[in-house]
């Protein structure tokens, strides 16, 4: 089946620094990737939609200059949290869509970000 | 606000019981519904999905029911096992390739 990986799985960074999270589709090409954020005991909230070769579309309330998304290839999207603050600490999850006729998306295992 | 939600936040059952997890959605244009299982610290795991032109779909030990009249979705798990303990989310989409909108989630606890 389709596999999506994320790297790193866990990261701790200091306030004010930037951290990059990678999302890769390992055995298929992803025309679209989605980034979600999940706070403890809450649901997944869509942050942005990323299409290969295009600028990402951000959801209302998500700062595009703070959460930089790059989808440079059909198998890789990156999310960079810039000038991280403790309130950015969260579980970040990506999903990938292969552009087919089905609705199915494939989720990565998530990245736990802790900002100290 | 979220377009999918309204459910019991927790459900506790005994091993071997049948579990029913409910979800209500508000977007009548949604065409696709999916249930995910999420264990602590992991990404969502696909359980079962259903298109809007169906009202029931069965998988292995799981059944999804869709009632478009009242915009209600349910997940039935037969013979619940301790390994089924997790948070369950429903999600919806109105077009292939668009983002999924997630409900709030129900925590299922199975005791043996």
């Amino acid at each position: 089946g389709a596999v999506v990986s994320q790297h790193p799985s866990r990261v701790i960074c200091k306030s004010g620094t930037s951290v990059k999270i990678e999302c890769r589709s390992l055995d298929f090409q992803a025309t679209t990737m989605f980034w979600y954020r999940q706070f403890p005991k809450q649901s997944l909230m869509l942050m942005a939609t990323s299409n290969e070769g295009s600028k990402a579309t951000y959801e209302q309330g998500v700062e595009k200059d703070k959460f930089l998304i790059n989808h440079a290839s059909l198998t890789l999207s990156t999310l960079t949290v810039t000038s991280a603050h403790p309130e950015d600490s969260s579980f970040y999850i990506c999903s990938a869509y292969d552009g087919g006729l089905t609705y199915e998306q494939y989720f990565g295992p998530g990245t736990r970000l802790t900002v100290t | 606000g979220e377009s999918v939600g309204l459910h019991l936040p927790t459900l506790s059952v005994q091993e071997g019981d049948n579990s029913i997890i409910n979800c209500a959605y508000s977007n009548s244009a949604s065409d696709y519904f999916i249930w995910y299982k999420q264990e602590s610290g992991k990404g969502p795991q696909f359980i079962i999905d259903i298109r809007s032109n169906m009202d029931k779909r069965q998988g292995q030990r799981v059944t999804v029911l869709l009632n478009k009249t009242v915009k209600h979705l349910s997940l039935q798990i037969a013979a619940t096992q301790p390994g089924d303990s997790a948070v369950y989310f429903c999600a919806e989409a109105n077009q292939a390739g668009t983002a999924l909108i997630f409900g709030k989630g129900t925590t299922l606890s199975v005791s043996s």
Side-chain angles (χ1 to χ4, degrees), chain A residues 32 34 36 38 41-46 49 91 93 97 100-110 112, chain B residues 2 31-32 36 38 41-44 46 49 51 89 93-105:
Chain A
T32 306
F34 305 93
Y36 296 84
Q38 185 179 32
K41 299 193 184 302
Q42 294 189 24
S43 187
L44 283 74
M45 295 299 294
L46 179 67
T49 300
F91 194 51
I93 306 171
Y97 170 66
L101 296 177
T102 70
Y103 284 76
E104 191 162 3
Q105 297 177 18
Y106 307 98
F107 280 83
R112 173 74 60 193
Chain B
E2 294 178 37
D31 184 45
Y32 174 71
Y36 287 98
Q38 187 181 31
K42 298 183 179 179
F46 173 90
D49 58 1
R51 294 288 296 270
F89 292 98
N94 61 8
Q95 191 175 347
T98 61
L100 296 171
I101 305 301
F102 282 79
K104 290 186 173 65

Side-chain angles (χ1 to χ4, degrees), chain B residues 36-97:
Chain B
Y36 287 98
K37 173 185 179 183
Q38 187 181 31
E39 297 174 313
S40 181
K42 298 183 179 179
Q45 175 188 348
F46 173 90
I47 300 174
I48 192 168
D49 58 1
I50 189 168
R51 294 288 296 270
S52 62
N53 61 353
M54 302 173 68
D55 53 22
K56 180 178 180 179
R57 191 159 185 233
Q58 288 185 289
Q60 189 175 16
R61 280 202 307 121
V62 294
T63 300
V64 55
L65 298 177
L66 175 64
N67 185 330
K68 294 181 290 293
T69 302
V70 295
K71 297 180 193 168
H72 185 267
L73 190 69
S74 69
L75 175 69
Q76 300 178 359
I77 305 174
T80 314
Q81 302 168 0
D84 295 326
S85 295
V87 180
Y88 290 81
F89 292 98
C90 61
E92 62 174 319
N94 61 8
Q95 191 175 347

Side-chain angles (χ1 to χ4, degrees), chain A residues 12-31:
Chain A
I12 300 173
C13 70
K14 294 186 182 236
S15 288
T17 62
S18 297
V19 61
K20 180 186 288 188
I21 302 170
E22 293 184 348
C23 176
R24 292 182 185 273
S25 55
L26 299 186
D27 50 3
F28 67 99
Q29 293 186 326
T31 57

Side-chain angles (χ1 to χ4, degrees), chain A residues 15-107:
Chain A
S15 288
T17 62
S18 297
V19 61
K20 180 186 288 188
I21 302 170
E22 293 184 348
C23 176
R24 292 182 185 273
S25 55
L26 299 186
D27 50 3
F28 67 99
Q29 293 186 326
T31 57
T32 306
M33 288 184 171
F34 305 93
W35 286 96
Y36 296 84
R37 179 168 52 184
Q38 185 179 32
F39 292 109
K41 299 193 184 302
Q42 294 189 24
S43 187
L44 283 74
M45 295 299 294
L46 179 67
M47 297 176 68
T49 300
S50 166
N51 290 296
E52 187 266 337
S54 303
K55 288 185 178 180
T57 302
Y58 291 81
E59 294 300 297
Q60 191 172 8
V62 178
E63 299 174 56
K64 63 179 183 188
D65 295 329
K66 180 171 182 59
F67 298 99
L68 301 178
I69 292 173
N70 185 289
H71 192 161
S73 78
L74 285 170
T75 59
L76 174 65
S77 177
T78 60
L79 168 67
T80 301
V81 183
T82 63
S83 187
H85 290 111
E87 56 265 32
D88 298 324
S89 298
S90 188
F91 194 51
Y92 291 88
I93 306 171
C94 70
S95 71
Y97 170 66
D98 64 5
L101 296 177
T102 70
Y103 284 76
E104 191 162 3
Q105 297 177 18
Y106 307 98
F107 280 83

